[in-house]
Amino acid sequence: MADKYDCVIIGGGIAGLQAAIQLGRYKRSVLVIDSNDGRSNLCKNYQNILGWPEGISGQTLREAGRQQAKSYGIQFAEERVIQCQKEIEGFSVITNSANYEAATLLFATGVVDRVPPELQQELYPCMGKTVYVCPDCDGYEVNNRRVLVLGSGKAGASLSLTLTYWTNDITYINHDKKEIGPLEDTLMQKGITYKEAAIKKVIAEAEMLKGVILENNEFIYGERGFLAFGGNKVRTELAHELGVELLENQHIIVNPRTKETNVSNVWAAGDIVAHSEQVTVAMGEGLQAAIWIHKRLLELHEK
């Protein structure tokens, strides 16, 4: 017989962990299922979080969060969920090796940034240190620095223009050579150097970006980098299969107050929700969802 929980949280990143901690403090039985390959695994330094002026890595936050959650009896499973099904009472959560039952569900499955596989080995060690993906989080880090925008088509061009708020020394390298149309003239007007060329190799040493070598062997120097390849994967397939409503960009629509989706007893929090993709927002949403999950569990218990 499958193990039964008050709540199964799918995704053990920042939103999922914060929800787990709060539900643990409500003395709820909770299982967090985490595939261990989310955004927070990669970021070496979040620098815009209250109380961490020198920054804190995603791995450190995750490990501290897991230990904190475990102190309240929260259980963890490092697996990948392959399907969720609505049952007469609650939900069935199916992984490759087990089947769990839950009265409520919280999806905190996050977003995966598209980074060309041939560039990942050099770029991943720099993430959050000298290479970034979010200008709202880390635009400040390129203030008056020489920055390379490594991207594709209009996504990279738009990010390059956004970064002119912090620096006027920007080179945009359109790795996939996708059409950018009139944006090319706009880049020129803003003084942004534009290169339509594939990146042959990223040059980095000890988490420090040094530059890139293009397909014609030209070396482009850069102190900092931003990635904007577009086509990020929003992990909402499992929720959508349950009937959860999505926007055109595949993000989940939730009740602004409770974070519950259009499907009763199913919540969502973190980067998969339609909002600013920020660690502190994910924390807040995870906690807010947990409060309303607890309220619902009280109602279900009374029936």
Side-chain angles (χ1 to χ4, degrees):
M1 188 173 175
D3 293 332
K4 180 70 178 282
Y5 294 91
D6 289 330
C7 183
V8 167
I9 298 173
I10 303 173
I14 307 305
L17 288 171
Q18 184 67 72
I21 289 166
Q22 183 66 21
L23 285 169
R25 291 173 64 83
Y26 285 131
K27 302 185 289 186
R28 294 298 183 182
S29 62
V30 177
L31 174 68
V32 179
I33 304 177
D34 187 26
S35 58
N36 212 33
D37 62 353
R39 262 181 173 170
S40 56
N41 292 75
L42 293 176
C43 186
K44 299 294 183 65
N45 211 25
Y46 294 113
Q47 298 184 79
N48 64 340
I49 302 177
L50 176 68
W52 300 97
E54 301 303 317
I56 184 171
S57 74
Q59 286 283 21
T60 301
L61 263 183
R62 285 168 58 89
E63 185 53 37
R66 286 174 73 98
Q67 294 308 314
Q68 192 173 349
K70 286 178 180 178
S71 74
Y72 295 115
I74 304 301
Q75 295 182 43
F76 286 83
E78 290 200 10
E79 299 182 77
R80 189 176 298 278
V81 177
I82 56 176
Q83 190 178 21
C84 298
Q85 296 176 342
K86 183 78 177 77
E87 304 294 347
I88 296 174
E89 290 188 6
F91 303 90
S92 177
V93 181
I94 302 162
T95 70
N96 285 320
S97 61
N99 186 357
Y100 305 100
E101 292 182 5
T104 61
L105 287 181
L106 171 60
F107 286 99
T109 38
V111 171
V112 179
D113 297 286
R114 184 174 81 87
V115 181
E118 65 271 20
L119 306 179
Q120 291 176 4
Q121 186 175 347
E122 287 79 20
L123 287 174
Y124 279 173
C126 302
M127 298 297 292
K129 288 285 191 177
T130 55
V131 175
Y132 317 100
V133 296
C134 167
D136 297 309
C137 311
D138 294 310
Y140 180 84
E141 302 306 317
V142 303
N143 194 43
N144 295 325
R145 291 183 180 272
R146 179 165 176 72
V147 60
L148 305 182
V149 175
L150 315 182
S152 174
K154 294 177 181 178
S158 296
L159 177 59
S160 299
L161 292 169
T162 298
L163 293 176
T164 59
Y165 180 81
W166 287 279
T167 181
N168 57 12
D169 195 351
I170 301 169
T171 298
Y172 170 37
I173 302 167
N174 187 351
H175 177 68
D176 294 335
K177 305 177 187 177
K178 288 187 177 177
E179 180 66 40
I180 65 171
L183 282 173
E184 185 169 355
D185 291 334
T186 309
L187 294 176
M188 189 180 302
Q189 291 165 13
K190 291 287 187 177
I192 296 169
T193 303
Y194 177 56
K195 301 278 186 179
E196 193 172 279
I199 300 162
K200 185 176 179 180
K201 185 173 178 58
V202 174
I203 306 300
E205 296 175 12
E207 303 177 340
M208 301 298 291
L209 180 70
K210 301 295 183 181
V212 298
I213 297 173
L214 303 182
E215 58 188 341
N216 63 358
N217 290 321
E218 180 185 2
F219 175 73
I220 309 292
Y221 167 73
E223 300 174 89
R224 297 290 186 270
F226 259 92
L227 308 183
F229 291 100
N232 292 347
K233 182 176 177 58
V234 187
R235 290 171 156 172
T236 48
E237 305 95 331
L238 289 169
H240 188 52
E241 287 172 6
L242 273 179
V244 169
E245 187 178 357
L246 307 181
L247 294 170
E248 285 186 15
N249 65 5
Q250 304 305 302
H251 286 264
I252 293 175
I253 301 169
V254 296
N255 180 299
R257 186 182 182 201
T258 67
K259 310 307 170 188
E260 190 173 14
T261 70
N262 62 298
V263 177
S264 184
N265 300 331
V266 177
W267 280 258
D271 288 351
I272 55 170
V273 176
H275 68 194
S276 301
E277 296 173 16
Q278 298 277 332
V279 167
T280 48
V281 173
M283 285 181 182
E285 286 197 344
L287 190 141
Q288 187 76 348
I291 289 172
W292 288 91
I293 289 169
H294 171 64
K295 291 178 186 292
R296 181 63 49 76
L297 289 167
L298 289 174
E299 294 174 8
L300 293 174
H301 185 67
E302 289 173 358
K303 290 181 180 179

